[in-house]
């Protein structure tokens, strides 16, 4: 927007951002979003069900089928080696790059081309099912948007670019409709990550919310029909949280600062390793997989806990970790943060998946570890850790607050002030620790109008 020609100047026609909403075509987009919500959310449910079934089959059932009485301690090594080989080969030989690079943050810009969808699917399944430390949200967003646009263009090849963007967004909304616990959380995630704002927010948001709402119904219906689960982020039991006091607000500053330092270190190291992986894609991805496996084995042998605490995204492990937190000493939790953090770093640099759930698990574990210290209760520490690490890794403050509070149900309202303070601290510190992108201007964006 030019400072020399302010909006509303005489003789200048200001475009109506809501003109699209008043057209018959927009009503058609709403109908299309509703129709797309059903197959895309059903496909997303199937994707999550497949990953959920493959994880115990490859880690527990397969060793027994091979003659072992239980899973051998060294089993993560071949598991992650196969994962690295499959992911590396997919990125190297199939069209596209297997989805966006998770070390560079959560990308929602542009739907993938139809020929790239198989590679995204294969890389995501090989990553998520075989033990790498990444989540399903990024592949689902890409697969949802790409599939939506592909289906619509089959029927309407001349779909305008602007309408195509709305359709792609609706597909993403439907794919992650209940994954983060609520359609609203997924909506805020996509809005913040894509940078949609101003009047266009409502234009894009309404079809997306419609698709997400229908997707939630589909997930619920399929759960009732199959009995497999809703695959939604949830905690079965949350300890009671008292009204925050001054000491806990002090802890909010400490947790925000600590998460910013740890999370920034993880991301910078992943970005440092990533170019080396890309030069020897298959071999290096296998080596990163073996590194993840080695960290899981080291944690299990050193603590007597399960190696799966380090492996996988951590989505399903957060509830048991909170419920059984008394069984974990502060030392064990600290070692878990170290091993999971390094495994997360290796996975970010080489594999394909989303950064959200491992960040939440790391923050939750660190918060529980700190709750052993005076002046900090378990539930507020758990929530503040999730919020602080999420905003450090994602850079999305509103989504991070929602992730940390809606997950706790009624207790989330009690701890929300603490989470907000923690998220703000972590967000500001992490932004100051991260250099601006190459070529970005450091000058303030605002410019005073010129007087003529």
């Amino acid at each position: 927007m030019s400072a020399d020609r302010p909006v509303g100047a005489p003789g200048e026609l200001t475009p109506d951002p809501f003109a699209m909403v008043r057209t018959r075509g927009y009503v058609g987009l709403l109908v299309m979003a509703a129709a797309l919500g059903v197959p895309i959310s059903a496909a997303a449910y199937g994707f999550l069900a497949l990953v959920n079934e493959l994880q115990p089959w490859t880690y527990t059932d397969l060793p027994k089928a091979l003659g072992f009485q239980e899973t051998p301690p060294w089993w993560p090594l071949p598991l992650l080696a196969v994962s690295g080989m499959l992911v590396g080969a997919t990125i190297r030989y199939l069209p596209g790059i297997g989805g966006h690079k998770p070390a560079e943050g959560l990308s929602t810009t542009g739907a993938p081309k139809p020929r790239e969808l198989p590679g995204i699917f294969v890389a995501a399944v090989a990553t998520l099912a075989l033990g790498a430390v990444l989540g399903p949200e990024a592949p689902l967003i890409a697969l949802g948007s790409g599939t939506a646009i592909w289906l619509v263009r089959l029927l309407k090849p001349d779909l305008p670019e602007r309408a195509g963007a709305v359709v792609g967004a609706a597909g993403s909304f439907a794919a992650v409709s209940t994954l983060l616990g609520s359609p609203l959380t997924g909506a805020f995630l996509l809005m913040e990550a894509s940078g949609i704002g101003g009047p266009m927010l409502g234009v894009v948001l309404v079809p997306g919310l419609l698709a997400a709402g229908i997707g939630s119904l589909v997930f619920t219906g399929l759960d009732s029909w199959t009995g497999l689960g809703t695959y939604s982020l949830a905690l079965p039991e949350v300890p009671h949280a008292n009204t925050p006091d001054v000491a806990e607000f002090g802890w909010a500053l400490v947790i925000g600062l600590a998460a910013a330092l740890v999370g920034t270190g993880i991301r910078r190291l992943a970005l440092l390793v990533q170019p080396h992986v890309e030069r020897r894609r298959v071999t290096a991805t296998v080596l990163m997989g073996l590194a993840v496996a080695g960290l899981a084995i080291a944690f299990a042998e050193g603590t007597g806990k399960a190696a799966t605490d380090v492996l996988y995204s951590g989505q399903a492990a957060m509830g048991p970790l909170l419920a059984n937190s008394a069984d974990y000493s502060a030392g064990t939790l600290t070692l878990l943060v170290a091993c999971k953090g390094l495994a997360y770093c290796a996975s970010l640099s080489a594999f394909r998946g989303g950064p959200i759930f491992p960040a939440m698990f790391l923050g939750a574990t660190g918060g529980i570890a700190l709750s052993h210290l005076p002046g900090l209760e378990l539930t507020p520490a758990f929530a503040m850790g999730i919020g602080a690490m999420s905003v450090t890794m994602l850079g999305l403050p509103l989504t991070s607050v929602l992730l940390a509070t809606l997950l706790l149900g009624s207790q989330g309202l009690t701890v929300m002030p603490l989470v907000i303070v923690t998220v703000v601290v972590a967000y500001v510190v992490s932004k100051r620790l991260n250099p601006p992108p190459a070529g970005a201007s450091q000058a303030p964006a605002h410019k005073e109008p010129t007087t003529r």
Side-chain angles (χ1 to χ4, degrees):
M1 185 182 299
S2 172
D4 296 332
R5 296 189 65 184
V7 175
E12 181 180 352
L13 295 177
T14 303
D16 181 5
F18 299 106
M20 183 179 179
V21 180
R22 300 187 185 97
T23 63
R24 183 181 301 176
Y26 189 75
V27 177
L29 277 178
L30 292 177
V31 174
M32 195 180 300
L36 288 170
V38 176
I40 290 178
S41 56
Y45 185 92
F47 174 86
L48 294 172
L50 174 64
V51 170
N52 191 67
E53 292 298 316
L54 284 176
Q55 286 179 351
W57 184 82
T58 55
Y59 193 83
T60 304
D61 298 339
L62 182 58
K64 290 181 180 180
L66 294 175
F68 297 100
Q69 292 185 344
E70 58 184 16
T71 303
W74 47 263
W75 187 252
L77 289 170
L79 199 65
L80 268 298
V82 171
S83 176
M85 184 176 62
L86 290 174
V87 173
T90 298
I91 297 171
R92 175 68 177 82
Y93 297 109
L94 290 187
I97 56 171
H100 87 283
K101 302 174 184 179
E104 297 176 5
L106 187 65
S107 174
T108 61
T109 56
K113 298 176 181 178
R115 62 189 181 88
E116 297 175 359
L117 296 178
I120 295 173
F121 176 82
V122 173
V125 171
T127 293
L128 302 173
L130 300 180
V133 186
L134 290 172
E137 69 284 351
L140 282 178
I141 290 171
L143 290 170
S145 62
T147 302
I149 294 179
W150 173 63
L151 289 174
V152 171
R153 290 200 185 277
L154 285 178
L155 303 174
K156 190 168 183 171
D158 59 343
L159 184 73
E161 183 178 349
R162 193 176 184 185
V166 177
V167 168
S172 296
F173 275 65
V176 296
S177 55
T178 63
L179 182 65
L180 300 176
S182 164
L184 287 178
T185 308
F188 279 111
L189 168 70
L190 291 168
M191 287 188 308
E192 277 198 295
S194 61
I196 300 173
M200 279 304 297
L201 174 60
V203 174
V204 177
L205 180 61
V206 172
L209 282 177
L210 179 60
I214 291 174
S216 296
L217 293 176
V218 171
F219 267 62
T220 303
L222 288 173
D223 174 34
S224 177
W225 179 48
T226 64
L228 295 175
T230 60
Y231 308 111
S232 177
L233 181 62
L235 297 176
E237 295 182 8
V238 178
H240 176 74
N242 294 316
T243 303
D245 56 23
V246 175
E248 286 178 328
F249 275 101
W251 275 113
L253 303 177
V254 173
I255 293 174
L257 177 61
L261 293 172
V262 173
T264 300
I266 290 172
R267 189 170 183 183
R268 281 196 173 188
L269 182 57
L271 290 171
L272 184 65
V273 173
Q274 181 174 271
H276 300 283
V277 173
E278 291 173 347
R279 282 198 286 270
R280 297 286 185 272
R281 169 53 66 184
V282 178
T283 302
T285 306
V286 171
L287 290 176
M288 289 297 103
L290 292 175
V292 172
L295 289 162
I297 294 170
F299 172 77
E301 294 298 308
T303 63
K305 300 295 183 182
T308 50
D309 284 351
V310 173
L311 302 176
Y312 306 112
S313 70
Q315 174 188 357
M318 273 188 286
L321 179 67
L322 180 62
N324 302 312
S325 59
D327 298 335
Y328 287 77
S329 67
T332 298
L333 291 167
T334 303
L335 183 60
L336 178 55
V337 169
C339 292
K340 186 87 170 184
L342 290 172
Y344 182 29
C345 176
S347 300
L348 285 169
S349 69
F351 289 84
R352 291 296 184 261
I356 295 178
F357 291 122
M360 294 179 68
F361 183 87
L362 273 177
T365 305
I368 295 173
L370 290 173
S371 70
H372 286 77
L373 298 174
L376 183 60
E377 293 184 346
L378 175 61
T379 300
F382 181 86
M384 286 189 286
I386 290 175
M389 189 59 73
S390 296
V391 78
T392 300
M393 300 305 297
L394 301 176
L396 308 176
L398 180 57
T399 300
S400 299
V401 171
L402 291 176
L403 285 171
T405 54
L406 294 183
L407 180 62
L408 301 181
S410 60
Q411 303 303 318
L413 293 176
T414 304
V415 302
M416 185 178 286
L418 296 172
V419 173
I420 291 173
V421 172
T422 308
V423 166
V424 169
V425 171
Y427 179 74
V428 173
V429 173
S430 62
K431 289 300 181 185
R432 292 184 67 88
L433 291 174
N434 286 308
S441 174
Q442 300 262 7
H446 176 69
K447 181 180 178 181
E448 292 296 330
T450 302
T451 304
R452 292 193 174 184

